Amino acid sequence: MTTITHGRERRFEVDADWERLPDGLTHADVTAVDVDADDRVYLFTRFDGQVIVYERDGTFVRTWGKGVFTTPHGLTVGPDGGVYCVDAGDHTVRKFTPDGELLMTLGTPGVASDTGFVSGQPVRVHSVEGVRYAGAPFNRCTNLAVAPDGDLYVTDGYGNCRVHRFSASGDLIGSWGEPGTGPGQFHLPHCLDIAADGRVFVGDRENDRIQIFTPDGTFIEEWTDVRRPCDLTIAPDGSVYVVELWRPEGKSSFTHGTAERDQPARLTVLDRHGEVVERWGDSSERRTEAGYFIAPHGIALDSHGDLYVAEVTYSFAIRPGWVARSCDRHQLQKFLRVGAGGDTLARRHA
């Protein structure tokens, strides 16, 4: 294992061989990852379009959902064990039991809300430039978080620019957001999580920031020492773990202009005030090694303090030819939390 030591407080070891795929089962991209109350691990995979479930030690449990999803994007396991799957291509959020029985559907399958969005147009930075105005749920929704009071919050990002709040039973309570770079505006709200006090943390990906809101959508502040935040999760101590997508040289940001040099993918840990505590993966030369990243897209933190990072390496980097096909092993990594003295806080493969 490789010890990751960048930062002043935390240390992690990468366990790159944690996942034990059974014979005949493969995945090209892992778009999302989360854990349940028993630290079982749920992956949401693209192309094969299904959920894969593992025990904490990497032992395979089951798969389900194949043939149901169009464009798998976000997955969240709620406090009640329900598994919420966000399908960007189908404009829906579905809730399932842990073994794949459908319980609830938000949105109308196959029907996008009206935002003036037209895909396939020339763009300066990103296709979200085609979102002309804010719309109702959903147009290419991205992720979901469950608040302490049970309310559901959904980022609606690729064809919209909003955060929607629902009751636990699926009734729409309210929405906020519009296209732009100002407070409460978005260019691809891609991820979110809810703090213990109810604050809503939203990864505003193509604006290179995290925006923080009250439960009803009132803007509080923004954190800008991140770039292209793809997913985030809030730890019990209030620290925020963020995975940040690679921006190749020459690509642009709505807020920072064109990247004059390569901006590799990385993982950042921020304290409750938004200050960087830990950061790793920020290296072009070592991007393909275990412990580094190509296209991190999902993150989860288990009860032992271990991290899981899901990547969409095929669709983001292999298919356009930015990295070699051999990099397809970069789909899922587990990072074991270790103490200041180097002892792993969680028993390996316990």
Side-chain angles (χ1 to χ4, degrees):
M1 296 185 186
T2 300
T3 302
I4 309 297
T5 57
H6 311 294
R8 68 179 187 268
E9 291 186 13
R10 291 178 170 82
R11 296 176 62 196
F12 291 87
E13 290 180 345
V14 59
D15 187 359
D17 298 322
W18 168 85
E19 183 186 13
R20 299 200 289 275
L21 275 166
D23 291 342
L25 183 62
T26 61
H27 46 65
D29 278 343
V30 181
T31 70
V33 59
D34 205 2
V35 298
D36 66 14
D38 297 319
D39 285 332
R40 275 189 166 176
V41 183
Y42 293 73
L43 311 184
F44 203 16
T45 65
R46 193 172 284 168
F47 303 113
D48 49 4
Q50 62 186 338
V51 175
I52 304 176
V53 186
Y54 292 97
E55 297 291 357
R56 182 173 178 269
D57 65 359
T59 301
F60 173 78
V61 178
R62 68 174 72 92
T63 65
W64 49 263
K66 197 166 186 176
V68 172
F69 307 109
T70 302
T71 307
H73 199 273
L75 180 147
T76 302
V77 182
D80 63 354
V83 182
Y84 297 87
C85 295
V86 182
D87 190 338
D90 196 42
H91 318 292
T92 58
V93 177
R94 294 181 176 92
K95 181 182 181 180
F96 298 89
T97 65
D99 57 2
E101 178 186 349
L102 182 63
L103 299 174
M104 179 173 66
T105 300
L106 302 178
T108 304
V111 179
S113 63
D114 178 20
T115 64
F117 178 77
V118 178
S119 62
Q121 302 298 305
V123 299
R124 180 178 61 87
V125 176
H126 192 278
S127 63
V128 294
E129 294 165 28
V131 178
R132 303 303 180 190
Y133 40 83
F138 299 111
N139 194 322
R140 303 189 181 192
C141 42
T142 51
N143 237 309
L144 175 143
V146 183
D149 63 3
D151 284 352
L152 309 175
Y153 291 79
V154 180
T155 45
D156 197 7
Y158 280 99
N160 205 345
C161 53
R162 309 213 86 184
V163 176
H164 307 289
R165 180 184 182 186
F166 297 85
S167 69
S169 59
D171 296 319
L172 181 63
I173 296 172
S175 304
W176 73 87
E178 60 183 11
T181 60
Q185 298 177 332
F186 300 106
H187 280 311
L188 187 43
H190 195 271
C191 59
L192 75 169
D193 201 4
I194 317 299
D197 61 5
R199 287 176 300 153
V200 183
F201 287 63
V202 181
D204 187 8
R205 198 182 86 177
E206 299 305 317
N207 282 334
D208 292 295
R209 62 183 176 178
I210 295 169
Q211 295 197 66
I212 304 173
F213 302 91
T214 64
D216 64 0
T218 300
F219 176 81
I220 300 173
E221 62 176 320
E222 65 179 11
W223 294 352
T224 58
D225 192 4
V226 295
R227 59 183 184 230
R228 305 192 83 185
C230 260
D231 199 14
L232 62 88
T233 188
I234 302 175
D237 67 357
S239 56
V240 181
Y241 293 72
V242 189
V243 285
E244 301 164 84
L245 189 63
W246 173 22
R247 176 177 286 120
E249 180 182 353
K251 297 296 182 178
S252 297
S253 159
F254 286 103
T255 53
H256 300 304
T258 302
E260 296 182 357
R261 52 185 179 273
D262 200 54
Q263 298 177 355
R266 63 191 184 186
L267 191 156
T268 296
V269 186
L270 304 161
D271 66 19
R272 62 177 61 247
H273 306 293
E275 299 297 322
V276 175
V277 174
E278 176 78 50
R279 176 170 276 160
W280 71 86
D282 196 0
S283 170
S284 297
E285 289 73 24
R286 304 183 65 186
R287 190 185 303 129
T288 61
E289 294 184 15
Y292 294 82
F293 311 103
I294 295 174
H297 197 263
I299 187 169
L301 181 71
D302 73 11
S303 66
H304 296 253
D306 295 345
L307 287 169
Y308 299 85
V309 176
E311 300 195 53
V312 290
T313 301
Y314 175 77
S315 59
F316 181 80
I318 294 176
R319 187 165 56 185
W322 293 348
V323 300
R325 184 169 290 275
S326 60
C327 294
D328 63 1
R329 65 182 181 273
H330 256 281
Q331 298 177 24
L332 180 71
Q333 297 188 76
K334 180 175 181 176
F335 294 88
L336 300 169
R337 175 78 181 274
V338 299
D343 296 328
T344 304
L345 295 183
R347 294 191 302 276
R348 293 181 180 85
H349 305 310

